Amino acid sequence: GDSHSFVCSLAWRSNAILTAGRSDGSIVDYDIRKDDRAICDYRGHRLEVCSLKWSELFGRYLASGGKDKLVHIWDTRMAVANHHPRQHQLLHKISNHTSTVRALDWCPTRSNLLASGGGRNDHCIKFWSAVNGVCLNSIDTGSEVCALLWDKNNSELLTSYGFPNNQLILWNYTSMTRKAELFGHSSRVLYLAGSPLGGVVASAAEDETLKFWNIFETPKPPKPEANTVPFAQFSVIR
């Protein structure tokens, strides 16, 4: 890539392959086990790649959001061109947002469902089918959507915002009713990350603080059936 460009977004494709989006619009897969690390690329964005999400680890689809207001969906199963064997073909180019797209996340419980959020002049959360690229729903939230995170266990969606309130909003999906609004940051909340089990969410903002929220419900372990798990209620057997 261009030596003057810098990395703006990262997403793990697998345990060994890291996908990086750069300030020049390029997206590259790097195999961290190899010396010649760049293994394939995805071309389509003209400006900074602000967000990258794989549909799952070892997933089929990659979604990218850019400063060029575009959302791209790539399908790793699509055939590559003979003259560009390391370049993935674009499946959908989505141009419905009117501002930078920083917020992107795949639904963990419904396959092929992507949510995206638009920036300062857009304010919308939009839902897409990866299969045909169709917009399934669009909600105007009233302010800049900076990040977006699906709950791993329930039909809920968390979004974070910039001016004027820098808040987090928990939505019910599919009704898109607001379940909770959380305040605490004093500037744009640019990043959201969920703990591996669900439960706790971390938010990072331009106010240089990291906050932890007990917002998603943690799944309750299933009760063992009678007579199948001896001593299940004891953590130590002496």
Side-chain angles (χ1 to χ4, degrees):
D2 179 6
S3 58
H4 300 296
S5 74
F6 51 89
V7 173
C8 304
S9 47
L10 293 167
W12 284 103
R13 178 175 177 178
S14 70
N15 296 328
I17 297 174
L18 183 62
T19 307
R22 304 183 72 91
S23 56
D24 60 3
S26 62
I27 300 171
V28 181
D29 279 351
Y30 295 96
D31 189 330
I32 60 173
R33 300 164 300 189
K34 296 181 178 175
D35 290 336
D36 179 23
R37 291 188 170 152
I39 52 173
C40 60
D41 64 309
Y42 309 80
R43 298 217 182 132
H45 286 288
R46 298 185 304 279
L47 300 170
E48 180 180 317
V49 181
C50 303
S51 47
L52 282 175
K53 286 281 167 76
W54 281 96
S55 49
E56 57 195 330
L57 206 59
F58 304 100
R60 174 175 180 175
Y61 297 111
L62 173 66
S64 60
K67 219 170 206 169
D68 52 15
K69 309 172 188 174
L70 299 175
V71 174
H72 287 157
I73 298 176
W74 320 81
D75 181 354
T76 57
R77 292 188 201 165
M78 277 175 70
V80 292
N82 290 336
H83 57 288
H84 287 304
R86 287 161 51 142
Q87 192 172 314
H88 279 287
Q89 302 290 311
L90 186 60
L91 178 64
H92 301 300
K93 174 181 174 177
I94 294 166
S95 56
N96 301 41
H97 281 293
T98 56
S99 218
T100 298
V101 182
R102 289 185 193 283
L104 270 186
D105 202 18
W106 293 94
C107 180
T109 55
R110 294 170 179 78
S111 57
N112 309 325
L113 175 62
L114 176 71
S116 62
R120 206 157 285 171
N121 304 313
D122 183 285
H123 304 166
C124 290
I125 304 169
K126 295 181 188 288
F127 298 91
W128 311 94
S129 161
V131 179
N132 52 23
V134 165
C135 184
L136 306 170
N137 197 4
S138 180
I139 306 291
D140 189 329
T141 66
S143 84
E144 166 189 19
V145 188
C146 297
L148 194 151
L149 182 69
W150 287 95
D151 186 353
K152 292 179 175 68
N153 307 302
N154 293 312
S155 290
E156 293 176 349
L157 182 69
L158 185 66
T159 47
S160 66
Y161 292 87
F163 181 83
N165 296 319
N166 311 301
Q167 80 276 39
L168 279 63
I169 298 179
L170 182 66
W171 306 85
N172 186 297
Y173 188 82
T174 56
S175 69
M176 291 310 287
T177 50
R178 297 183 188 216
K179 294 187 75 176
E181 209 156 344
L182 303 161
F183 300 91
H185 284 290
S186 57
S187 62
R188 287 196 300 176
V189 187
L190 290 177
Y191 303 102
L192 292 174
S195 65
L197 294 175
V200 178
V201 172
S203 60
E206 282 181 337
D207 59 18
E208 299 182 8
T209 65
L210 185 63
K211 297 189 188 297
F212 296 87
W213 312 83
N214 257 323
I215 185 159
F216 293 145
E217 290 170 34
T218 39
K220 308 209 171 17
K223 291 189 175 71
E225 290 174 33
N227 306 326
T228 56
V229 187
F231 311 114
Q233 68 272 41
F234 301 110
S235 54
V236 177
I237 299 172
R238 295 180 188 280

